[in-house]
Amino acid sequence: MGNGNGHLREFGKFRLDAVRQVLWFGHEPVKLALKEIEILCVLTENGGQVVTKDEIISRVWTDSFVEESNLSRHIYVLRKTFKNYGESDLIKTVPRRGYRFAADVTEVEQNIGQNGRQNGAGVSDAVAPAASTSFFKNYRFIAVAAIVLASILVAVAAWQINGALAKNSEKLAVIPFSSVEGGEKNEFNIILADSLIRNLGKIKTIEVVPLKSVREFAGQDIDAMSAAGSLGADLVLTGDYQMSADKIRTHVTLRRVSDNTTLLDDTFELDARDNVDFETAVALRASKLVSEKLPRNDEAFIDNTKVSQEAIDNYLKGREIWRQQTLDRSKEMQQHFERAIELAPDWAPAYSALAEALLSPDRMSLDFENAEANARKALELDPQNAGANAILGQIFYKKIRDWNTAESYFQKALDSDPNYAAGYHEFGRFLMFQRRFVAASQMVEKAIELDPFQAAYYDRLSEISYYERKTKVALVNCEIALSLDPTYWGTRKRLYAIYALDKNYSKIAELYSQSFSKDEIMGKIVTKGATEGDLTEYWNYIIDKQRSAAPEKIQNRTLAYHYMQVNKHEEALDALEKSLNQYDNYLPTINADPVYDPIRNHPRFMAVIEKLGL
């Protein structure tokens, strides 16, 4: 590779860089795990030829034993990814032998610039990892040496902390679930167990027994507690399910092996999804329920020598409500943080948590003044407080519309705490508004890596994909969000926008019947429009209803959105100009929302964007 040329394999609209192990679709990188890329490299290297399962496993897992089901799972993900991009049947199964890559593969050479990017396919809006931002601002030797030394110290500290966590973590055994109806469903049971183990393995505070140690229990009538004990597990997860064509009802139980204490005993029901299979949906929801019963990282690192247990308890209760983003619990959350401050007036985390609560997206109105006061108090007590810096970042772009200063505060937050999941999520939202979509996705994916069961994070990934006009990818992330939390309020609205963009009117009618409104007239109009394939009457009905509200209650951005649906562009521009005079947390979305593409270059629209500081 010293000559600067990279060998690429092209098939359809895809390009596979086998050296750098990146798959491109057009000018965008496709999100795939490394093992899936490696499998694809083996298959495309032998395009048109059968590659045995043993050969793939020996090439991809050279130094470790892996079960065939692991390969099958990665092949499934590859096929599903290709399907999401409008391609199917690229990977053919050859019974009892292996797999064959069915597309024509062409090897090409492409120049690689000095920055290591493919010409024409580079990422122009990516941001450097937050912890290394300051490195690139000063090239003097002393500064570099200081940063290197600091990095080593941070790495050593992280290693010590992670080692301590690993040493003290509990071991969890997942016993493969069984079907209530009985019968042979071992394949489903194993795939479900595999999904559960992979998801639960993302939780930093536990160690999960691998699939190869528990798969023998699938379909067996065993004593789960004894089985878990034989594996040296401290916790055991068991369950059963009842499946129909469009629903799956699952019962899960988490128990402590030493004393048979029940930590979790819950039943949930999930509807069938178009893009997420039952085993994925059940594994996500069950893993989220388990994670809520285990210690969190913020519990492990609270310094309880400085504050009372009552203050800590109030802080943790408030944080749990904040994570759930439940619409009707904002006041309760705020009261917990205020009580923590009352009990510990010199404790910075309580002030920054209250500041975050005052700007929580589930609040009907944001209290910028008090949020800023609490954030600055937190920084007075602890200048490195990540939450407080992130709140100031939000204030500067949401209220002051100073996007450059806002970005500097987000960078400070993530420099202070590289494990601050909510900070990555909010930074991703900030980048998304500026149409820096690749960087935004990177930030949100980092948030998911740190806190893997937050519906809001997958909803944000869905929103970014929607703005990129990748509606198939957006729908997958919506369905993951709803698998984690079927009641999550943001995702229902996201689905509405996606279906409108795709002109999938029957799905809009279905959404309306499930959750939108009890207006019977509107219900008849949307049903009729879905049947006829034209929702013009429905959009106009919504516009008339919105305009009939009191002037101070009209949300002009929403009105503009519906004007765009019926091609009333001048009326939409009027509404957007009025929206500048009322606070709207989501007004910057107009810079990215594809519904405004027809007027994006109109001088009046561009003037609105300029006033937003974008």
Side-chain angles (χ1 to χ4, degrees), residues 137 389 393 403-413 415 430:
K137 291 182 180 178
N389 277 301
W403 295 76
N404 290 331
T405 301
E407 184 158 352
S408 70
Y409 274 112
F410 282 122
Q411 292 285 7
K412 286 179 185 177
D415 283 344
F430 165 87

Side-chain angles (χ1 to χ4, degrees), residues 286-335:
S287 299
K288 176 179 172 65
L289 292 172
V290 170
S291 72
E292 291 170 351
K293 300 299 179 181
L294 300 173
R296 301 187 66 94
N297 287 341
D298 55 5
E299 296 178 42
F301 294 106
I302 290 176
D303 185 356
N304 55 15
T305 62
K306 293 183 178 180
V307 297
S308 69
Q309 187 59 48
E310 186 181 354
I312 293 172
D313 288 344
N314 274 280
Y315 172 82
L316 292 176
K317 288 175 183 176
R319 293 301 290 178
E320 189 56 37
I321 298 172
W322 182 84
R323 285 189 192 93
Q324 294 170 2
Q325 296 191 9
T326 306
L327 285 173
D328 57 354
R329 299 185 68 187
S330 293
K331 188 64 177 177
E332 179 187 354
M333 168 176 59
Q334 182 176 334
Q335 288 171 343

Side-chain angles (χ1 to χ4, degrees), residues 175-218:
I175 304 301
F177 289 13
S178 60
S179 170
V180 171
E181 296 96 341
E184 289 294 326
K185 292 193 177 178
N186 280 1
E187 183 177 356
F188 180 88
N189 298 345
I190 292 297
I191 294 173
L192 175 57
D194 186 33
S195 294
L196 280 164
I197 288 167
R198 285 187 292 109
N199 280 327
L200 292 167
K202 299 173 184 176
I203 301 174
K204 307 297 185 185
T205 53
I206 60 171
E207 175 189 351
V208 185
V209 175
L211 177 64
K212 63 183 179 182
S213 299
V214 299
R215 69 176 301 154
E216 65 182 281
F217 302 127

Side-chain angles (χ1 to χ4, degrees), residues 155-283:
V156 170
W159 174 79
Q160 291 175 330
I161 290 171
N162 290 334
L165 282 175
K167 188 181 296 184
N168 297 323
S169 63
E170 294 184 297
K171 184 182 286 188
L172 168 65
V174 178
I175 304 301
F177 289 13
S178 60
S179 170
V180 171
E181 296 96 341
E184 289 294 326
K185 292 193 177 178
N186 280 1
E187 183 177 356
F188 180 88
N189 298 345
I190 292 297
I191 294 173
L192 175 57
D194 186 33
S195 294
L196 280 164
I197 288 167
R198 285 187 292 109
N199 280 327
L200 292 167
K202 299 173 184 176
I203 301 174
K204 307 297 185 185
T205 53
I206 60 171
E207 175 189 351
V208 185
V209 175
L211 177 64
K212 63 183 179 182
S213 299
V214 299
R215 69 176 301 154
E216 65 182 281
F217 302 127
Q220 303 295 317
D221 184 12
I222 61 165
D223 179 354
M225 297 296 284
S226 298
S230 70
L231 296 168
D234 305 289
L235 304 166
V236 59
L237 180 68
T238 58
D240 56 51
Y241 59 87
Q242 187 170 14
M243 190 188 303
S244 65
D246 59 350
K247 291 183 184 297
I248 186 167
R249 184 178 179 83
T250 308
H251 176 231
V252 293
T253 305
L254 177 68
R255 286 176 288 173
R256 191 173 298 284
V257 175
S258 60
D259 56 8
N260 202 22
T261 301
T262 299
L263 304 178
L264 169 67
D265 187 1
D266 202 348
T267 299
F268 58 86
E269 187 173 86
L270 296 175
D271 294 330
R273 311 288 186 202
D274 293 329
N275 301 286
V276 173
D277 49 48
F278 273 142
E279 53 263 42
T280 300
V282 170

Side-chain angles (χ1 to χ4, degrees), residues 126-159:
V127 294
S132 63
T133 302
S134 58
F135 180 87
F136 297 99
K137 291 182 180 178
N138 194 329
Y139 291 92
R140 288 177 298 180
F141 176 78
I142 295 175
V144 173
I147 290 170
V148 171
L149 178 60
S151 299
I152 292 171
L153 293 173
V154 169
V156 170
W159 174 79

